[in-house]
């Protein structure tokens, strides 16, 4: 999953970045509200962790403006204010959850997991292409009824391809789904992950589900044969 952290306090921003990366997420960090709003409106994130007290734009302003522009990314708001009125303001601005500082990192990670599960469940049911299935809520992958264990990057790659079945995803689009903005993986790295995914799901010619579109990228077949 790709997560945006909008936090101006360097120590906390770094701690959140390290903790979320350790959970297998691709994490981008913005250090002020305006930068965070630009990122939130311009890139596909699965979750945003947003501080209220920020320079250039407050967290409440970021949240309101993002929602006004149709951004549906779940938002976990962080604040040192713990009155009922403050919580109501945050939720009314469009936040999905609200966590008061100081907090235990374990609680924040639990809330992140809950929001990601909720968002995956709301988006759709199990993704199915031919005899291959992926449950976005649990991460469970099956082919012909047999469970397949995938690494986090391979599972994220498979989900991106299945959500866009029939459409070609370029190397840049795949990188945007799997890596944060500071990473610069080469096309060879992308190819290595595709190769590993194909091997894990037993995807072989002549009836491959994952097609290479030479010079463009990769595509999950939208008309794969059933089991």
């Amino acid at each position: 999953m790709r997560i945006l952290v909008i936090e101006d306090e360097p120590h906390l921003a770094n701690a959140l970045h390290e903790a979320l990366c350790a959970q297998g997420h691709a994490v981008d960090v913005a250090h002020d509200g305006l930068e965070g709003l630009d990122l939130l409106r311009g890139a596909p994130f699965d979750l945003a962790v947003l501080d209220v007290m920020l320079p250039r734009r407050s967290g409440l302003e970021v949240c309101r403006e993002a929602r006004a522009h149709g951004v549906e990314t779940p938002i976990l708001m962080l604040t040192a204010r713990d009155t009922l009125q403050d919580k109501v303001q945050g939720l009314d601005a469009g936040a999905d959850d609200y966590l008061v500082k100081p907090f235990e990192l374990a609680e924040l990670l639990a809330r992140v997991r809950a929001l990601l599960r909720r968002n995956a469940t709301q988006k759709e049911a199990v993704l199915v292409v031919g005899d291959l299935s992926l449950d976005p809520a649990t991460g469970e992958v099956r082919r012909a009824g047999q469970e397949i264990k995938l690494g986090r990057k391979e599972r994220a790659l498979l989900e991106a391809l299945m959500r866009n079945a029939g459409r070609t995803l370029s190397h840049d689009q795949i990188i945007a789904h799997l890596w944060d903005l500071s990473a610069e993986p080469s096309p060879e790295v992308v190819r290595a992950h595709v190769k590993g995914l194909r091997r894990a799901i037993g995807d072989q010619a002549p009836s491959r589900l994952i097609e290479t579109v030479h010079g463009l990228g990769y595509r999950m077949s939208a008309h794969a044969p059933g089991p």
Side-chain angles (χ1 to χ4, degrees):
M1 296 291 184
R2 190 174 180 188
I3 296 177
L4 174 62
V5 173
I6 309 175
E7 170 60 61
D8 65 319
E9 200 284 301
H11 180 74
L12 179 56
N14 290 337
L16 293 176
H17 181 272
E18 290 181 7
L20 292 167
C21 285
Q23 297 292 304
H25 303 296
V27 183
D28 293 300
V29 178
H31 296 285
D32 65 66
L34 187 56
E35 179 189 9
L37 180 60
D38 288 343
L39 286 173
L40 198 54
R41 291 173 55 185
F45 290 99
D46 297 290
L47 179 75
V49 179
L50 172 64
D51 192 14
V52 169
M53 301 298 292
L54 292 168
R56 302 180 73 192
R57 287 282 197 287
S58 72
L60 292 174
E61 290 173 318
V62 170
C63 202
R64 290 192 192 101
E65 291 186 44
R67 296 305 188 219
H69 284 87
V71 175
E72 297 180 354
T73 302
I75 294 175
L76 171 59
M77 189 166 282
L78 307 179
T79 181
R81 300 174 176 176
D82 61 353
T83 68
L84 177 59
Q85 182 179 0
D86 292 322
K87 294 178 182 179
V88 169
Q89 285 181 336
L91 296 172
D92 282 347
D96 296 271
D97 198 0
Y98 194 98
L99 187 58
V100 177
K101 297 178 180 180
F103 53 80
E104 294 292 335
L105 194 55
E107 182 180 2
L108 179 136
L109 293 176
R111 289 176 183 251
V112 165
R113 290 193 295 270
L115 285 172
L116 290 174
R117 282 196 304 269
R118 183 193 309 169
N119 193 45
T121 301
Q122 289 174 346
K123 281 182 179 178
E124 71 262 295
V126 176
L127 302 172
V128 178
V129 176
D131 61 353
L132 181 67
S133 67
L134 185 153
D135 187 338
T138 65
E140 183 180 81
V141 177
R142 291 184 176 273
R143 187 158 196 188
Q146 298 297 311
E147 185 173 1
I148 298 171
K149 298 296 184 182
L150 296 178
R152 290 189 177 96
K153 280 284 191 291
E154 281 73 23
R155 188 168 62 243
L157 172 60
L158 179 61
E159 183 172 346
L161 289 167
M162 293 183 76
R163 288 187 187 280
N164 294 278
R167 294 176 52 201
T168 299
L169 294 183
S170 69
H171 289 91
D172 288 344
Q173 288 173 315
I174 291 173
I175 288 169
H177 278 285
L178 272 67
W179 283 275
D180 59 54
L181 295 175
S182 62
E184 297 183 359
S186 66
E188 287 75 19
V189 172
V190 175
R191 282 195 287 271
H193 281 289
V194 172
K195 182 178 179 180
L197 175 59
R198 281 173 166 159
R199 183 170 55 247
I201 66 174
D203 197 32
Q204 300 175 343
S207 57
R208 271 186 168 161
L209 298 180
I210 302 173
E211 304 168 349
T212 300
V213 184
H214 294 288
L216 295 176
Y218 300 93
R219 175 175 60 216
M220 175 69 71
S221 174
H223 304 291

